[in-house]
Amino acid sequence: MNDQSAIQPSPPQGSVLISGVGASQGLGAAIARRFAAGGYPVVIAGRNAEKLAATAAELSATGAKIVHVVGDASKAADVARFIAAAQQLGPLAVAVHNAGSNRPAPFLKVSEERFEGHWREHALGGFHLAQAAIPALLARGGGSLIFTGASGSLRGKANFAPFAAAKAALRALAQSVAREFGPQGIHVGHVVIDGGIEGDRLLSLRPELKDARGADGMLNIAAIADAYWVLHHQHRSAWTLELDLRPWAESF
């Protein structure tokens, strides 16, 4: 007989850290909103102080317990501050690496600085978060470490060489960490976002996309956030390492 209680989310115990939060209509904020709605105190971290403060105020106005910390996820000292802020709210239960941008360019015009910048944001940032979060998760007795990936994690498109290289490195990092720390109770997840996200970042650059893609033709940020919630609450007998998310009309 199935033990149905085994697959029901338990009451929130501990805190959540989302690294890589900007505008309130972005994926990082949506993930924070979802976990806050589920009763978790949440730390949001990002580089843009103005956007971060505005997002924190908007989330706090809903009654959520939100703390924001300004810093750079590619710097170990800043990530240590992110973790410390979360630990002050409760033992770290979930850490999400959502930091990093994408600046497409023809390969022969890509500078070393731009290539390295992508690597620092995605791969090095993920490394720092993992190294800082894992000891806290182990001390708690388990938890979740989730990385935001992309279709670039799996295949490199023309003009996307820096982004694809960085995201592929992040994916490999997630796989290695999962195999080392999964048996110690840490659920590592890598979420492949395959398609355009219906958020402020993309729509501010290409506002025509929403109409061009049609109904539900872009990834809804709240729907993505629900997937992160589900990952954290999966029963350990059936953990997902890699989850692909794409709109129903997206070709792949």
Side-chain angles (χ1 to χ4, degrees):
M1 183 174 65
N2 291 332
D3 180 3
Q4 292 299 318
S5 65
I7 61 174
Q8 298 302 316
S10 58
Q13 295 180 342
S15 61
V16 175
L17 166 64
I18 315 295
S19 175
V21 178
S24 65
Q25 293 306 305
L27 177 55
I31 299 168
R33 190 176 294 113
R34 179 65 185 89
F35 278 91
Y40 289 86
V42 180
V43 171
I44 58 174
R47 293 183 297 185
N48 189 308
E50 184 177 350
K51 286 184 178 180
L52 193 64
T55 297
E58 184 175 322
L59 294 176
S60 296
T62 67
K65 187 170 185 179
I66 301 289
V67 172
H68 69 283
V69 184
V70 179
D72 187 338
S74 70
K75 297 180 179 179
D78 285 2
V79 175
R81 290 192 296 108
F82 301 166
I83 297 294
Q87 292 281 70
Q88 288 181 354
L89 298 179
L92 184 69
V94 184
V96 177
H97 178 71
N98 184 62
S101 58
N102 180 19
R103 301 176 294 283
F107 180 72
L108 294 180
K109 295 185 180 297
V110 174
S111 65
E112 179 180 335
E113 180 182 14
R114 176 171 289 195
F115 188 90
E116 184 178 340
H118 280 79
W119 174 81
R120 286 186 173 279
E121 292 173 7
H122 298 281
L124 186 61
F127 165 80
H128 285 318
L129 184 66
Q131 281 212 326
I134 286 171
L137 294 172
L138 289 173
R140 177 180 174 271
S144 300
L145 176 61
I146 304 174
F147 301 93
T148 298
S151 51
S153 307
L154 310 177
R155 56 190 181 277
K157 290 174 58 178
N159 301 319
F160 280 61
F163 180 75
K167 281 298 192 186
L170 181 65
R171 183 189 187 216
L173 171 72
Q175 291 174 347
S176 293
V177 172
R179 292 181 172 108
E180 184 172 353
F181 293 99
Q184 299 181 56
I186 297 177
H187 182 188
V188 178
H190 178 254
V191 182
V192 175
I193 307 298
D194 191 359
I197 296 176
E198 189 181 341
D200 281 351
R201 178 183 289 182
L202 181 56
L203 292 181
S204 65
L205 295 172
R206 299 187 61 188
E208 77 283 358
L209 279 181
K210 185 172 182 178
D211 288 338
R213 298 288 173 85
D216 298 326
M218 302 180 73
L219 287 129
N220 178 279
I221 56 173
I224 302 173
D226 279 340
Y228 284 66
W229 172 266
V230 169
L231 276 176
H232 175 58
H233 290 96
Q234 284 181 329
H235 190 263
R236 67 180 182 177
S237 68
W239 275 352
T240 297
L241 167 60
E242 187 158 85
L243 181 65
D244 275 21
L245 300 177
R246 67 178 59 83
W248 65 281
E250 184 84 11
S251 61
F252 65 99

